[in-house]
Amino acid sequence: MSFWQQFKRFSALSIVVGFAVVSFGSLPAHAQAKPDTSKMPWMNKALSPDERADLVVHEMTLDEKIQMVHGTGWGVLRPPDPVPAKSNFAAGYMEGIERLGIPGIDLADSAVGARMAAYQSRYATLLPSTLGAASSWDPDSAFLYGSVIGRELRAWGTNMSIGGGVNITREPRNGRNFEYAGEDPILAGTLTGNLEKGVFSQHVMSDIKHYALNDQETGRTVVNALLDKKALRESDMLAFEVSIAIAEPSAVMCSYNLYEGDHACENDYLLNEVLKKDFKFKGWVVSDWGATHSTVKSALNGLDQEMPGDENYFNAPLKKAVEGGQVPTARLDDMVHRILRSMFAAGVVDDPPVRTVVDPFRGRDNAQHIAEESIVLLKNSDHILPLKASASNSIAIIGSHADVGVLSGGGSAQVDAPGGNAADPKAGGSGWTEHIYFPSSPLKNFQAHSPHASVRYANGADVAAAAQLAKSSAVAIVFVNQPMQEGMDAVTLSLPDNQDALVEAVSKANPNTIVVIENGGPVSMPWIQQVKGVVEMWYPGIGGAQALANILFGDVNPSGKLPVTFAKDESQLPHPVVPGLEGVPPGPNQEHKVAPFDVNYNSEGARVGYKWFESTNKQPLFPFGFGLSYTTYVYSGLTVDDAKRTVHFTVRNTGKQEGTEIAQVYVALPAAAKENYKRLAAWQRVKLAPGESKEVTLPLHPLSLTVFNTDQNGWQLLSGEYNVTAGPSSSDTPLKATLHVQ
Ligand code: GLC
């Protein structure tokens, strides 16, 4: 080729590159010019994701492989850190390999909705907290939940969601319980697995986190969790096993804490033995942000990608370790293969997201639907609910900014509110410790429901004024809140900011008092005898106030049931004081305030939540699986099919209003299991018209019937008699039968 030919070619190329950088530089890599795939056999969709990944790895240079196994740094999370031109402003970014047609990956926080909308003036739907959504016990709702997240991230042009928190509620004061799905591993795993399937259905890569035993925020980067392997597999790890089997997620995020002396992100047992071997996980292990602590040990023990990437373990040091033979090339190839195969499997190479506009109306409707299935009616004395015309001609609305909005959870799950914090509007995104309210106003929605009624608000700061308003109203509705966030735990189960006193004052002024709770996890209720109604609304999402109004006024019959046990007080818990908090002043970012310490979960072992209460014969304030309805149900005729391991029973609606009952089935294992508690084995939402009966046949979840045998390193079904019970909650199982296993 002559000089001129070369020059023309070079200049043409530089014009194209220049144009690409100038014009498309701000677009995410995967939205830029399409590479010539005719020379890329891995673009053949007839091949499997693994075959395609192998073909790409074969073409890659060492530097390209290293580029894929770490992120580009804290970027938008830590201004003024540099933000890669091709990133789409998510929590993390991995540069793509343009010459091979492999796009970059934008790892976007999206536990309860896409995070950091404000950064680019985008919109994101705030869904109910995942703990709230778990109160629906509805896998279909969970799938919808994930679909909203995936749909909106795609509209942003983002190709990965890093939500999917499934840490069980071992610690009811854990600041991140609102991002998870409760205390039972089968329920939490089933719902979270379906949620992540929903994300994946939108051709957005999915994630399950925080693997594993990241069950408290206090000291989360230094706490060493101790738990024997049998109990581990039958509790925390079971939630991961169930959710990963259902979702087949693109990635699993390893957590900050240690387990039995090794950090989770360099823990051979957790990552190689259990996740990759026992669970047969094909995706990649991504570190939590800053949770990587070594190069060779992490790589050999199962970590596949360092995020956000400027801790410098998996860039130059890893290249040196591969060149020096401390990390075999085959291991590096496996790391890259796992990422690539997940990209092909999710469709982000063949069908990269193209920016559109988020549909906020569809998102709000979806959020409201999930909230209506998730709100739990905990107390309804004198049938004070649903509000009757008489009672609703003068309603006092008190506390928790209920005039303007509903509370959301903080930390990396924080969604930015449209128009800013409804309780304190100001420009920009949400601060890490702010309590952000979303513009779904209970006051406005109640007024809309009762246009002829006097619906008045008092903010509750002045307790006497609130009591006075209550006294002059037919019914008083007190909104109480428990702000929760990543990085810190609640010190106690008590409501903060003296709200118990507010409830007591209002209920003294007016016995027709209803309490609505906006909380991140279980709370104590010293006033429970003084009020007539208690409604668990959780963080209800952008459609929360509409959902609440529909329930309180009877348009929707509440069906939610608790996915966590509510203790009366801390003395009932396995750890009355949050481990590591002894002597530490409460406040944000407790994670950094404590020296390394062990937390010995062997004290309760696999007896998490209701299993603890049952095995220690304690009566909680409200039991796991509890929730009231405006109608009543009767259960009858439980039978068990030993061969199929299914149960069959009938539920009848004996009231005058249509409703949906979450029927639950529990199993107590044979004596040889040495368990003095039962396990949730099946459940079903049963919709019933007044007077209607339905027969229900359910399979008993196989992993609810088995014990983990550490000698065989596998699940074992014991022979003997299994006591099967069924009913409306873990503490109310009127139907009894026996499963016989030979
Ligand atoms: C955080 C969280 C994790 C989040 C990540 C990125 O510290 O533990 O859930 O996805 O960092 O923000």
Side-chain angles (χ1 to χ4, degrees):
M1 188 184 297
S2 73
F3 168 74
W4 281 111
Q5 279 170 324
Q6 284 184 47
F7 177 70
K8 271 195 288 189
R9 184 172 176 208
F10 170 73
S11 44
L13 183 64
S14 52
I15 289 167
V16 168
V17 168
F19 179 68
V21 168
V22 169
S23 310
F24 299 107
S26 62
L27 282 182
H30 29 66
Q32 291 174 358
K34 293 258 186 232
D36 172 9
T37 58
S38 60
K39 302 184 183 64
M40 299 179 184
W42 51 87
M43 291 303 184
N44 175 359
K45 295 176 193 165
L47 299 174
S48 75
D50 288 296
E51 289 167 332
R52 298 173 75 178
D54 283 341
L55 289 169
V56 179
V57 172
H58 182 69
E59 290 297 317
M60 292 172 78
T61 65
L62 174 57
D63 284 340
E64 288 170 335
K65 295 174 186 175
I66 294 295
Q67 178 179 302
M68 286 193 71
V69 297
H70 66 86
T72 55
W74 284 90
V76 294
L77 289 184
R78 199 168 278 177
D81 279 20
V83 179
K86 299 175 204 155
S87 86
N88 202 25
F89 313 108
Y93 182 63
M94 177 211 83
E95 292 278 3
I97 314 289
E98 216 156 296
R99 76 178 183 88
L100 301 176
I102 302 302
I105 300 178
D106 290 288
L107 296 90
D109 277 318
S110 37
V112 297
R115 178 191 181 195
M116 296 166 63
Y119 192 81
Q120 287 287 300
S121 307
R122 293 163 168 161
Y123 179 82
T125 295
L126 174 75
L127 291 153
S129 65
T130 43
L131 185 63
S135 305
S136 70
W137 295 49
D138 186 353
D140 294 338
S141 261
F143 185 90
L144 171 65
Y145 194 107
S147 305
V148 174
I149 290 172
R151 187 175 76 213
E152 297 193 356
L153 285 176
R154 267 191 79 86
W156 286 15
T158 292
N159 57 10
M160 183 168 188
S161 163
I162 45 173
V166 73
N167 301 86
I168 57 175
T169 313
R170 184 178 285 276
E171 172 46 72
R173 295 153 293 192
N174 177 358
R176 299 188 81 173
N177 282 332
F178 75 92
E179 295 181 52
Y180 305 150
E183 66 194 32
D184 182 84
I186 305 276
L187 178 65
T190 302
L191 297 177
T192 307
N194 280 282
L195 189 156
E196 289 304 309
K197 264 180 89 169
V199 170
F200 198 85
S201 72
Q202 302 298 313
H203 285 186
V204 169
M205 285 191 279
S206 58
D207 172 71
I208 290 283
K209 67 184 181 182
H210 303 86
Y211 186 84
L213 276 163
N214 179 187
D215 294 344
Q216 65 176 60
E217 289 300 286
T218 301
R220 66 172 173 164
T221 57
V222 296
V223 64
N224 178 32
L226 305 176
L227 183 61
D228 72 68
K229 288 178 179 169
K230 178 179 189 296
L232 173 70
R233 293 297 296 268
E234 293 176 357
S235 57
D236 291 74
M237 205 61 92
L238 179 52
F240 283 99
E241 181 164 5
V242 170
S243 56
I244 289 166
I246 291 169
E248 293 182 286
S250 310
V252 166
M253 184 188 292
C254 50
S255 57
Y256 287 119
N257 58 286
L258 294 84
Y259 170 63
E260 296 289 349
D262 278 324
H263 273 98
C265 292
E266 54 186 31
N267 193 301
D268 181 56
Y269 174 72
L270 291 179
L271 302 180
N272 287 333
E273 289 304 309
V274 179
L275 180 60
K276 293 181 177 179
K277 204 162 101 197
D278 292 356
F279 295 178
K280 300 183 177 49
F281 174 58
K282 296 179 148 183
W284 84 94
V285 176
V286 59
S287 76
D288 201 338
W289 270 229
T292 306
H293 297 277
S294 62
T295 297
V296 175
K297 182 178 176 184
S298 297
L300 297 181
N301 286 356
L303 181 64
D304 300 308
Q305 190 181 59
E306 173 193 359
M307 276 292 159
D310 61 1
E311 283 71 36
N312 298 326
Y313 289 108
F314 275 16
N315 43 24
L318 181 58
K319 179 178 178 180
K320 190 159 168 279
V322 172
E323 286 169 331
Q326 292 85 3
V327 174
T329 301
R331 175 64 191 112
L332 176 61
D333 289 353
D334 175 52
M335 294 157 80
V336 176
H337 174 97
R338 286 172 174 274
I339 298 169
L340 288 165
R341 64 97 47 211
S342 300
M343 296 177 81
F344 288 121
V348 301
V349 178
D350 303 326
D351 176 22
V354 176
R355 286 181 182 172
T356 58
V357 178
V358 165
D359 180 347
F361 311 105
R362 188 178 173 195
R364 205 205 61 79
D365 289 348
N366 294 155
Q368 180 178 330
H369 166 73
I370 295 167
E372 286 174 353
E373 283 199 346
S374 308
I375 289 172
V376 186
L377 179 59
L378 292 176
K379 184 174 183 182
N380 192 16
S381 301
D382 301 347
H383 297 291
I384 190 169
L385 289 169
L387 294 173
K388 295 161 189 66
S390 56
S392 54
N393 62 18
S394 64
I395 301 174
I397 305 284
I398 297 165
S400 195
H401 299 289
D403 55 334
V404 293
V406 292
L407 183 59
S408 61
S412 61
Q414 180 69 63
V415 178
D416 290 331
N421 185 349
D424 178 14
K426 55 179 179 297
S430 320
W432 190 265
T433 56
E434 265 189 271
H435 302 157
I436 305 293
Y437 284 76
F438 273 67
S440 174
S441 159
L443 177 62
K444 291 199 180 90
N445 277 278
F446 286 31
Q447 287 166 336
H449 250 284
S450 299
H452 308 300
S454 134
V455 184
R456 293 168 294 167
Y457 171 72
N459 68 15
D462 179 339
V463 175
Q468 188 48 45
L469 177 64
K471 195 177 175 68
S472 63
S473 305
V475 66
I477 303 176
V478 189
F479 287 75
V480 295
N481 63 56
Q482 179 207 38
M484 296 286 257
Q485 65 170 84
E486 176 178 345
M488 59 182 282
D489 299 317
V491 179
T492 72
L493 294 170
S494 301
L495 291 172
D497 306 326
N498 216 16
Q499 294 177 92
D500 287 338
L502 174 64
V503 175
E504 275 152 16
V506 168
S507 58
K508 205 172 283 173
N510 185 336
N512 293 329
T513 291
I514 298 158
V515 178
V516 176
I517 312 174
E518 299 178 78
N519 51 322
V523 292
S524 53
M525 305 178 201
W527 31 261
I528 187 69
Q529 298 307 329
Q530 281 100 46
V531 302
K532 284 190 179 175
V534 178
V535 178
E536 172 55 76
M537 183 168 73
W538 311 107
Y539 301 147
I542 190 69
Q546 292 83 343
L548 178 70
N550 286 339
I551 284 179
L552 295 192
F553 286 90
D555 303 338
V556 171
N557 189 353
S559 62
K561 296 209 172 176
L562 294 179
V564 284
T565 303
F566 276 52
K568 287 183 181 125
D569 57 48
E570 295 80 7
S571 68
Q572 293 191 313
L573 302 177
H575 306 273
V577 176
V578 176
L581 259 191
E582 299 83 358
V584 173
N589 290 328
Q590 284 153 359
E591 62 184 296
H592 302 305
K593 285 189 181 160
V594 290
F597 63 100
D598 290 349
V599 56
N600 189 350
Y601 289 136
N602 289 303
S603 44
E604 70 273 15
R607 298 175 297 161
V608 174
Y610 65 94
K611 298 169 184 170
W612 167 259
F613 280 78
E614 185 170 342
S615 67
T616 55
N617 200 19
K618 290 181 172 67
Q619 297 307 316
L621 176 62
F622 290 108
F624 175 81
F626 179 80
L628 298 174
S629 170
Y630 293 149
T631 187
T632 49
Y633 303 98
V634 165
Y635 288 69
S636 60
L638 177 64
T639 59
V640 175
D641 182 318
D642 287 345
K644 293 179 186 163
R645 291 190 195 130
T646 58
V647 298
H648 180 93
F649 57 93
T650 301
V651 187
R652 186 156 64 87
N653 179 346
T654 50
K656 297 185 177 54
Q657 182 169 354
E658 178 187 277
T660 298
E661 169 69 340
I662 299 173
Q664 300 156 46
V665 181
Y666 294 85
V667 171
L669 269 55
K674 298 193 180 66
E675 291 180 356
N676 52 359
Y677 54 85
K678 59 180 176 289
R679 305 153 164 218
L680 177 69
W683 66 91
Q684 175 87 17
R685 286 177 63 89
V686 186
K687 187 173 181 180
L688 293 165
E692 183 183 12
S693 288
K694 274 184 185 166
E695 296 194 19
V696 181
T697 301
L698 299 175
L700 297 172
H701 196 291
L703 292 176
S704 67
L705 299 175
T706 49
V707 295
F708 193 78
N709 182 316
T710 47
D711 297 333
Q712 298 165 10
N713 191 45
W715 292 102
Q716 183 184 4
L717 182 66
L718 301 174
S719 56
E721 294 194 348
Y722 292 66
N723 293 329
V724 180
T725 55
S729 85
S730 62
S731 66
D732 183 2
T733 51
L735 304 187
K736 317 263 182 231
T738 303
L739 166 71
H740 303 88
V741 174
Q742 302 309 324

